[in-house]
Amino acid sequence: MRRSRGLAVSLALSLTGTGAGLGLVLAPQAAALTPPVAFTADALSTWQPNGVVWALAAAGGQVFAGGTFSTVRPPAGGAGSEQQAVNFVALDAATGAPTSCQLSFTIASGTATVRALALSPDKSTLYAGGYFGAVNGTAVSSLAAIDVASCTVKTAFRPAFAATVRALAVTGDTVYAGGDFLTVAGQPRQRFAAVGATDGALKPFTADADEPGRAVEVTPDGEKVVLGGDFFTVNGTNSHALAVVDATSGALTKSYPGFIDTNSVVKDIATDATGFYTANEGTGGGVFDGRIALDLPGFGQRWRDTCLGATQAVLPYGNVLYSASHAHDCSGVGEFPDGQRHHLLAQPTSGTGKLGWAPDTNDGIGEGIGPRTLAVGSKSGVEYLWVGGEFTTVNGAAQQSLTRFASTGDTGAPTVPVVSAAGFKPGEVQVRWRTSLDLDDSALTYRVYRNGAATPIATVAADSLFFKRPQASWTDTTVTAGHSYTYRVTATDAAGNTSALSATAAVTVPTGTESYPSRVRADGAQLYWRYDDPVLPYVADSSAGGNQNGVHLNAPALRQTPGAVSGASTAIGFNGTDSRIHADKRQTVGSAYTVETWFRTNTTRGGKLFGFGSNQDRGSNQYDKHLYMTNDGQLVFGVYTGATRTVTTSGAYNDNQWHHAVATQGPGGMTLYVDGVQRGTLAVTAHENYSGYWHAGGDSLGGWPDRPTSEMWAGQLDESAVYPTVLSAEQVHNHYALATAPADSVVQVTAAEDTYANAGAPGTTYGTSSSLAVRGTSFYASYLRFDLPAAPAGTVLKSATLSVKTSTMSGAGTTDTVSVVPVTGSWSEGATTYNNRPALGGPALGAYPGLPDGSAVHTATLTTGSVAAALGGSLGLALSSSGTDALWLWSSEAQANDGTPQLALTFGAP
């Protein structure tokens, strides 16, 4: 939000015919980019001036840059040596190198500058405005005409402007100018004027403004001129910063009193066949800094983009509006909050939503504005978006004041996905990742690889933007309980550029349903941060919806043990200074909600555990729906209704023990629970309504009762969840009880003996065979013996599963049901044949309802009571079938058996 009354830029290129774009023939859309974006975000090698570029124009394969500089030099690492270029340089659109056209814009005293460039409709004449007295020694007065073909000054064009010209627009016979001047050719013309395109003679056009003009554009029909600048009146009528006047007389035809904030100005105007677009800059608080679209022919507002950050230039091209600014807060249109500056943006000409194009510069020199002007040049069928300004870096690399982006040749790969994996029940793994960033592709393709395989097991499409990178996920339902798996993910853009493989995410599939996380998910959590992720900066969302992931700030301590919940879950640690987490997704909170988290601390400085705030990576200016701790360890649940409303515990909880906190608000008011017990209520049903983000580990607390010394949390958190409903007291108590119950344990038992009987070889033993077989006719049966442990003290058997693995033999699978039945009588693998095989008992303990071909592990759930009865002793099982389709399995002697046959026994609290 910066404004300078002494410095400005205006890009004013004329329309060619009635097509969209500014004097450009549209090339076919670049297929490698996410439509409707037309340019890559990969900056091309470009010569660079030693000062500021204020204006750009393009014609005949050349791009003309005007500004305040004296030389141009090659790009970093480029060939060539520095050349003189006095406030102007002509560059090859395709190479970025200077052409043979050399013009010097000078003045006898003071600092000369070129502030505006515009071409005649036929592209044969370049008009340059600014503050200068000569071009290559030919006397001029702040406005000159250049023959493009010969690169020479047109001496017949001799207007006389008494001060700086900042904006130009050209028709077939007229040049319209805006700037600081009060007279032209000795005649009064205040800030706007029109002269003949051939001779520069002053025209009757009179549109006097009380403050500088910074932008001027002609309607496609040539009948109206749109003016922009600092002014408050035009021809004596109130119309701040924007006005429409008659193209011949200058008479005001549409005014805009109160339309733009009084502390904001219009820096640039551009047009396409459908309307006009303004670039706006403000000074101070409460300004308008964004962009406006106005429709033709009525000049009414189509949309208003209220992003803050001093927009300097706009350029519609191919139904996309590209803009140059230092946008730092687009929360007004539901996008990124106040924070990092973004200097180049794209949005559809139909609305404010940002598109997936976000190359970036820095603020640079001078006023620290960054980019100031945009233009598109073409050569050999390729379009190039040129950007000029006062920046000194582009996409993090050194490059001053000029850069360009092509319509072809996308080479930038997406960032590497950050991946996590979790299992909540047998037979299922959720693989999830924070979507990647690609500066010119919002639609990316992700490939999931399992256990180091070269071929992906899944392909997932997902969208992301630089300020909105939601969690994407895929559920693997082909996993076996008790087995461990690893996953890696890549991201690929439309051009085929592929990221490196992600770091490996490992998971062991549970053999039973995990009670606590399953209950949180079943009770409807919309955000569920378990803090089990092994790498920064990603916090996976384990809720059923799975799109409320978080982002670490300043490296919280990961995978702290022990966690709050019995089992393998870990916690996260915060330093009480700057480490915290914010959600990736902007949202609003309804009238009913629940916030839940486990916490442990011994701090005496207090801090915020969890809450809602308007910002992400900096302190919020709106904040409530939060849990915080006072210096003496009391827990506070607070909302804001125009005043702070809080529920506070009587006891302290900074005893370095794990505690469970739940805060609810809904039609029944506010309730705070700690460790499953209600600790306080308040009959308040309202809270502050705003868009924001959930935070863990700290955020603003200014103005709240018993405000602690620290707004940042020094301690650990675990199992944080947010629900769109009010959890009941029974649900809260159930969560607390589930988390504190003894953890389940799993014991894997491999077969002590295994063999099979074959009716076709009734006297043969198969105890050392690598295979097992099952068939009804002719008869095969497989026999397994397991030596079972006793149940650990204080536990019972909760579940039992049997895993087997089909062999690589062709047709090893079966379409028949294979039953798991008890065996009666004694047997051994070394002596068992078909003739002396043990009898098969009943009823069946479990079954496999057919197994597909292909070597893979398959699992059957067994009757728990039957297995429990054999604990501490031996369990004999047989695999049998009544069908004719044989099943072939690996025995325990086979090297490829993956530990099968195997029993997985899950023990837990009674």
Side-chain angles (χ1 to χ4, degrees):
M1 294 182 294
R2 301 188 61 177
R3 175 181 176 188
S4 169
R5 301 180 69 86
L7 298 174
V9 62
S10 175
L11 172 65
L13 298 180
S14 300
L15 283 169
T16 298
T18 58
L22 297 180
L24 300 167
V25 178
L26 298 188
Q29 188 71 50
L33 306 172
T34 302
V37 170
F39 302 97
T40 79
D42 306 317
L44 299 176
S45 174
T46 307
W47 280 57
Q48 48 194 329
N50 63 348
V52 178
V53 172
W54 294 97
L56 293 168
Q62 293 186 95
V63 172
F64 308 107
T68 310
F69 50 85
S70 59
T71 64
V72 291
R73 64 187 186 278
S81 57
E82 188 173 61
Q83 299 180 14
Q84 178 176 292
V86 182
N87 302 313
F88 177 91
V89 63
L91 301 142
D92 186 285
T95 68
T99 69
S100 59
C101 178
Q102 296 185 358
L103 300 171
S104 295
F105 289 74
T106 58
I107 197 165
S109 62
T111 302
T113 185
V114 174
R115 295 303 178 97
L117 295 171
L119 286 153
S120 60
D122 63 3
K123 301 293 188 77
S124 66
T125 302
L126 173 69
Y127 295 90
Y131 181 66
F132 46 83
V135 180
N136 282 3
T138 299
V140 293
S141 184
S142 294
L143 180 59
I146 310 298
D147 180 72
V148 172
S150 63
C151 190
T152 58
V153 178
K154 290 190 171 184
T155 56
F157 181 80
R158 297 296 297 268
F161 282 80
T164 304
V165 173
R166 301 184 180 277
L168 294 173
V170 185
T171 65
D173 60 3
T174 304
V175 178
Y176 295 92
D180 300 347
F181 50 86
L182 300 178
T183 64
V184 178
Q187 300 298 311
R189 293 289 190 276
Q190 297 179 17
R191 282 89 184 198
F192 293 99
V195 298
T198 302
D199 57 9
L202 185 64
K203 293 202 169 192
F205 176 91
T206 302
D208 289 342
D210 60 333
E211 294 287 347
R214 299 185 181 273
V216 58
E217 189 60 84
V218 183
T219 60
D221 61 12
E223 294 182 358
K224 301 291 190 296
V225 178
V226 186
L227 311 178
D230 300 10
F231 51 82
F232 292 89
T233 64
V234 174
N235 290 338
T237 299
N238 290 334
S239 188
H240 174 54
L242 185 67
V244 182
V245 298
D246 181 83
T248 301
S249 67
L252 188 66
T253 62
K254 184 172 180 60
S255 61
Y256 292 89
F259 185 67
I260 294 174
D261 298 78
T262 57
N263 53 352
S264 298
V265 303
V266 170
K267 297 297 291 289
D268 187 26
I269 299 172
T271 185
D272 62 14
T274 67
F276 282 84
Y277 309 88
T278 69
N280 303 272
E281 177 188 80
T283 302
V287 301
F288 174 56
D289 252 358
R291 293 156 289 281
I292 300 173
L294 300 106
D295 285 322
L296 285 172
F299 300 99
Q301 179 174 292
R302 181 189 308 166
W303 49 257
R304 180 179 291 230
D305 186 334
T306 58
C307 288
L308 296 175
T311 307
Q312 302 297 307
V314 286
L315 175 63
Y317 180 88
N319 299 319
V320 173
L321 184 69
Y322 298 89
S323 58
S325 69
H326 54 252
H328 57 85
D329 184 354
C330 285
S331 57
V333 289
E335 296 174 333
F336 54 89
D338 193 17
Q340 178 182 344
R341 290 184 168 192
H342 304 278
H343 297 84
L344 295 168
L345 299 174
Q347 60 199 92
T349 54
S350 58
T352 61
K354 304 306 178 292
L355 298 171
W357 184 80
D360 204 11
T361 72
N362 64 353
D363 291 340
I365 59 177
E367 293 181 84
I369 292 291
R372 288 186 174 274
T373 180
L374 305 169
V376 173
S378 63
K379 190 171 184 180
S380 301
V382 178
E383 309 296 316
Y384 299 91
L385 174 61
W386 284 69
V387 181
E390 55 194 36
F391 48 86
T392 57
T393 67
V394 179
N395 292 341
Q399 176 68 26
Q400 183 170 345
S401 299
L402 275 175
T403 191
R404 61 202 178 95
F405 307 93
S407 61
T408 61
D410 181 12
T411 60
T415 58
V416 179
V418 182
V419 181
S420 173
F424 304 105
K425 58 184 180 181
E428 186 174 298
V429 166
Q430 184 191 55
V431 185
R432 59 273 178 100
W433 58 92
R434 188 186 188 205
T435 47
S436 296
L437 174 62
D438 189 294
L439 296 180
D440 47 31
D441 288 281
S442 57
L444 299 175
T445 299
Y446 298 89
R447 291 178 173 84
V448 183
Y449 298 84
R450 188 173 76 180
N451 291 346
T455 302
I457 192 172
T459 299
V460 177
D463 292 346
S464 57
L465 296 167
F466 68 90
F467 60 90
K468 185 165 61 176
R469 295 172 59 184
Q471 178 171 293
S473 65
W474 173 74
T475 299
D476 189 352
T477 58
T478 63
V479 294
T480 301
H483 287 245
S484 297
Y485 297 85
T486 61
Y487 299 88
R488 302 180 79 181
V489 180
T490 62
T492 303
D493 66 15
N497 300 305
T498 300
S499 74
L501 280 163
S502 70
T504 298
V507 62
T508 299
V509 185
T511 58
T513 299
E514 294 189 26
S515 301
Y516 184 88
S518 295
R519 177 46 50 193
V520 171
R521 287 159 60 92
D523 283 344
Q526 283 187 336
L527 175 154
Y528 185 18
W529 295 345
R530 303 205 68 198
Y531 308 119
D532 295 337
D533 311 293
V535 293
L536 298 166
Y538 172 58
V539 186
D541 179 11
S542 293
S543 70
N547 63 2
Q548 289 274 15
N549 52 292
V551 178
H552 299 116
L553 294 175
N554 300 311
L558 305 182
R559 298 186 64 79
Q560 302 288 287
T561 57
V565 176
S566 300
S569 181
T570 60
I572 193 166
F574 299 94
N575 60 16
T577 303
D578 60 2
S579 62
R580 55 192 176 100
I581 294 169
H582 68 76
D584 242 353
K585 184 177 181 180
R586 183 182 179 89
Q587 65 176 105
T588 57
V589 179
S591 59
Y593 64 92
T594 297
V595 173
E596 175 180 39
T597 194
W598 288 79
F599 67 94
R600 182 171 71 174
T601 188
N602 60 2
T603 185
T604 57
R605 301 177 68 246
K608 183 182 287 192
L609 288 73
F610 201 91
F612 195 70
S614 60
N615 215 316
Q616 285 181 298
D617 58 357
R618 59 180 62 187
S620 298
N621 54 29
Q622 292 174 286
Y623 39 94
D624 74 334
K625 298 174 279 295
H626 51 206
L627 287 164
Y628 65 92
M629 181 173 279
T630 64
N631 288 345
D632 61 7
Q634 292 175 293
L635 201 63
V636 182
F637 168 37
V639 301
Y640 186 73
T641 63
T644 57
R645 309 300 300 271
T646 58
V647 179
T648 305
T649 64
S650 58
Y653 297 94
N654 55 346
D655 56 3
N656 213 31
Q657 300 297 314
W658 279 112
H659 295 285
H660 180 230
V662 178
T664 71
Q665 187 181 28
M670 300 167 61
T671 304
L672 175 60
Y673 303 86
V674 182
D675 294 338
V677 178
Q678 181 180 297
R679 306 294 182 180
T681 63
L682 189 64
V684 173
T685 60
H687 57 78
E688 190 171 9
N689 185 23
Y690 57 95
S691 294
Y693 308 84
W694 289 105
H695 293 255
D699 194 13
S700 304
L701 277 172
W704 283 83
D706 297 316
R707 180 185 180 186
T709 301
S710 174
E711 294 181 336
M712 309 302 292
W713 175 248
Q716 294 177 321
L717 296 180
D718 201 3
E719 305 291 329
S720 300
V722 178
Y723 306 78
T725 58
V726 172
L727 292 186
S728 68
E730 181 181 4
Q731 287 174 306
V732 172
H733 180 75
N734 188 29
H735 288 200
Y736 177 71
L738 287 173
T740 54
D744 291 352
S745 61
V746 179
V747 177
Q748 308 282 358
V749 183
T750 57
E753 291 189 285
D754 56 3
T755 188
Y756 74 97
N758 178 4
T764 304
T765 61
Y766 295 93
T768 59
S769 172
S770 63
S771 297
L772 299 172
V774 180
R775 185 168 62 196
T777 307
S778 61
F779 181 86
Y780 297 144
S782 290
Y783 300 92
L784 316 172
R785 183 174 64 78
F786 298 90
D787 295 331
L788 303 186
T795 70
V796 297
L797 182 68
K798 299 179 69 174
S799 66
T801 59
L802 174 64
S803 297
V804 295
K805 186 178 183 182
T806 46
S807 74
T808 53
M809 181 186 299
S810 177
T814 181
T815 59
D816 298 327
T817 296
V818 174
S819 298
V820 183
V821 297
V823 173
T824 60
S826 61
W827 61 277
S828 68
E829 67 177 13
T832 298
T833 68
Y834 177 80
N835 289 332
N836 65 9
R837 70 191 185 279
L840 304 182
L845 281 65
Y848 296 92
L851 287 83
D853 290 344
S855 185
V857 175
H858 302 277
T859 301
T861 300
L862 305 186
T863 303
T864 304
S866 299
V867 178
L871 291 175
S874 178
L875 175 66
L877 300 174
L879 302 178
S880 69
S881 169
S882 60
T884 59
D885 187 11
L887 170 68
W888 290 92
L889 306 171
W890 291 125
S891 75
S892 59
E893 281 78 8
Q895 291 185 352
N897 63 25
D898 277 359
T900 64
Q902 184 181 82
L903 277 178
L905 307 177
T906 301
F907 297 96

